[in-house]
Amino acid sequence: MDSPGQYEQQVVWTVVGTDIGPLLLAATRDGLVNVVFHATDATRDRALERLAARLGTEPVEAPGSPLLAEATDQVEAYFAGRRRDFDVPLDWSLISGFNRQVLRELASGVPYGQVAGYGDLAGRVGQPGAAQAVGMAMGANPLPVVVPCHRVVESDGGIGGFGGGVDTKRRLLALEGVLPEPLF
């Protein structure tokens, strides 16, 4: 016999310290659902309120949950230079349509240490000329770092914008060997 609430959505979260500041990791039973930059108290609280509103349940701090423990291990290994790819399950429920299509292509088609232009990514999903829409998809990415929107740059060689800040994007690209390490 099923217990009441057995099939309700559960959202668990933790904060991981990284070289680019604290990251909030949140997961559902289906996988990692959200990564949030600069997860200090106020930012973390706003992100958790948004998740509760979007997913219909109050997120619970649970760093020891198996999925979060694995995601934490992978994030720490990435920042230590021991991991190039993430293979935790992902919950894509916070994004849909064109944005989801672009982010899935990014996750599978732009490997560690490489970059792609906004227009190139638009072409890869069959929408040449939709570079600006790709930029919007990058800005809406609920899973930055794990779905590596930092690897998308301007066609003229510019770094482009970034939800975590341009300095954070530079540091991630330097970690992957695309840019030189910042001097300070």
Side-chain angles (χ1 to χ4, degrees), residues 98-99 102 118-119 121-122 125 127 129-140:
F98 177 80
N99 290 358
V102 168
Y118 294 96
L121 205 48
V125 297
Q127 298 291 324
Q132 193 170 18
V134 168
M136 298 296 284
M138 296 304 106

Side-chain angles (χ1 to χ4, degrees), residues 98-150:
F98 177 80
N99 290 358
R100 183 186 289 188
Q101 183 182 10
V102 168
L103 291 171
R104 283 181 179 258
E105 174 59 30
L106 170 64
S108 65
V110 182
Y112 182 97
Q114 295 185 22
V115 294
Y118 294 96
D120 175 52
L121 205 48
R124 290 185 193 196
V125 297
Q127 298 291 324
Q132 193 170 18
V134 168
M136 298 296 284
M138 296 304 106
N141 181 4
L143 296 160
V145 179
V146 176
V147 176
C149 53
H150 60 276

Side-chain angles (χ1 to χ4, degrees), residues 54-76:
R54 295 276 311 273
L55 298 175
T57 188
E58 198 65 35
V60 175
E61 187 173 13
S65 80
L67 182 63
L68 285 178
E70 180 61 26
T72 297
D73 288 347
Q74 289 189 25
V75 164
E76 289 172 346

